[in-house]
Amino acid sequence: MNYRGRFAPSPTGPLHAGSLIAAVASHADALANDGQWLLRMEDVDEGRVVAGAADRILHTLEAFGFEWQGAVWHQSRRKARYREIIEQLLKEGLAYPCACTRREIAETGTPGIEGMIYPGRCRNGLPQGREGRAIRLRTDDREICFSDRIQGRHCQILERDIGDFIIRRADGYTAYQLAVVVDDADQGINQVVRGADLLLSTPRQLHLQELLGFPHPEYAHVPLLLDDQGRKLSKQDKAHPLADDDPLPALLQAWHCLGQAAPDERPDNVQAFWHWAASAWSIDRVPAMQALHES
Ligand code: GLU
């Protein structure tokens, strides 16, 4: 197989120790499999983008010795493509406009495994006098299962567990779930290594891939680094940005968090680290638990 992996940071702030873990895992896995590794800026949610963050992320990745193939993709430049796909789903009756507000859904929906389950009010057409705000994708009662390379087998019934979900938001931006599926397909990605916060999103992405006739990549969800309050470290919190001038300790710490064996001798520089990491990486050693605590 021609391995094609990717790293897809959202430019909502600088990289931190948590995002580094996902980046290291996906880069090491690509290197170990003689694969390609692509980079994509997930700036689809333009309201959350922080000016200068994308450049800073690229700078940090370079300083840390990451090497990607080809030009960096930007979701903000792919709106026409997302529009085309959403139109297609609407035309095929697989998606529908939804007039409901968050408040209405909170009042009438039931809690699912990730947020409220949409109660289906607009499923068979907009209520009279109401206008479509968002676009939702229809879900069904089939069981969708996949075998995660780290977390093992995971199954969901989307209609029961998640509900019809948004592919275009009320503010007009394409939803992450749709953008990520279209981009992974268009970039020819067949291996996704990313943070475990996205494990529960994967069946939605598999469902979309199926509806669109796209191949399913393989998935590996790496444990998350949590702060002392048990929350995922987030770029918006400005959690400990990585120091571009001292990459090795952070790389070795990420490596350790990923359950990997320490090198016999400390590498002299990032190039030496990656050269060694390419043959030392073992995905079987990555702990399956979903969360690690920042030490
Ligand atoms: N953009 C997402 C993030 O920064 C990652 C999405 C993905 O890897 O599918 O958390």
Side-chain angles (χ1 to χ4, degrees):
M1 181 199 51
N2 257 341
Y3 184 114
R4 264 167 91 89
R6 48 65 159 188
F7 180 54
S10 307
T12 52
L15 292 181
H16 52 69
S19 26
L20 184 65
I21 291 186
V24 166
S26 93
H27 194 234
D29 198 58
L31 289 176
N33 286 286
D34 239 341
Q36 292 188 309
W37 193 70
L38 284 69
L39 201 56
R40 179 166 79 226
M41 280 298 156
E42 297 215 319
D43 54 359
V44 70
D45 184 350
E46 293 174 58
R48 285 180 58 227
V49 167
V50 170
D55 283 346
R56 183 151 179 205
I57 289 174
L58 292 180
H59 191 267
T60 300
L61 290 172
E62 255 164 28
F64 277 64
F66 288 90
E67 286 182 17
W68 56 93
Q69 279 76 53
V72 180
W73 280 33
H74 292 260
Q75 292 187 322
S76 56
R77 300 178 195 161
R78 292 185 34 81
K79 290 179 194 164
R81 175 71 171 138
Y82 305 144
R83 205 173 307 127
E84 167 190 277
I85 295 282
I86 292 172
E87 288 306 318
Q88 177 190 330
L89 291 167
L90 282 168
K91 212 158 34 187
E92 291 171 1
L94 300 168
Y96 60 88
C98 175
C100 299
T101 61
R102 201 175 291 204
R103 186 148 138 227
E104 287 170 323
I105 296 169
E107 280 164 8
T108 52
T110 45
I113 58 172
E114 213 172 55
M116 297 302 274
I117 295 181
Y118 179 64
R121 186 151 180 239
C122 303
R123 241 189 171 192
N124 302 312
L126 291 169
Q128 225 172 7
R130 298 285 302 266
E131 266 182 47
R133 304 169 76 244
I135 310 276
R136 283 185 191 274
L137 192 80
R138 273 180 216 287
T139 55
D140 57 40
D141 60 1
R142 275 174 317 132
E143 189 173 47
I144 299 181
C145 295
F146 70 104
S147 198
D148 189 274
R149 293 171 63 207
I150 297 169
Q151 309 292 339
R153 190 171 156 85
H154 181 79
C155 297
Q156 279 175 18
I157 295 178
L158 286 178
E159 193 172 57
R160 180 194 68 191
D161 299 331
I162 299 286
D164 292 356
F165 59 92
I166 289 185
I167 53 174
R168 181 188 290 148
R169 300 167 10 168
D171 59 13
Y173 291 131
T174 306
Y176 157 73
Q177 304 292 355
L178 190 284
V180 75
V181 162
V182 176
D183 291 348
D184 281 340
D186 289 355
Q187 287 191 294
I189 301 301
N190 52 28
Q191 293 288 336
V192 173
V193 180
R194 62 183 178 189
D197 52 326
L198 294 166
L199 182 72
L200 294 184
S201 286
T202 308
R204 269 166 278 179
Q205 297 175 14
L206 294 168
H207 180 55
L208 265 167
Q209 286 154 6
E210 226 154 279
L211 296 180
L212 294 167
F214 295 159
H216 300 308
E218 265 200 285
Y219 290 91
H221 287 89
V222 302
L224 296 180
L225 200 56
L226 303 182
D227 66 14
D228 2 326
Q229 264 110 63
R231 293 174 313 208
K232 182 194 168 195
L233 291 189
S234 100
K235 297 199 196 83
Q236 293 96 300
D237 298 340
K238 309 211 168 42
H240 313 284
L242 296 168
D244 292 357
D245 56 358
D246 193 19
L248 268 178
L251 280 173
L252 290 167
Q253 178 64 25
W255 190 253
H256 171 74
C257 285
L258 287 161
Q260 305 297 301
D264 293 337
E265 258 175 69
R266 194 185 155 91
D268 287 338
N269 53 44
V270 293
Q271 285 73 27
F273 169 80
W274 285 115
H275 182 75
W276 166 80
S279 53
W281 171 251
S282 164
I283 201 160
D284 299 335
R285 284 173 167 266
V286 179
M289 66 198 169
Q290 286 196 32
L292 303 163
H293 283 271
E294 200 181 20
S295 52

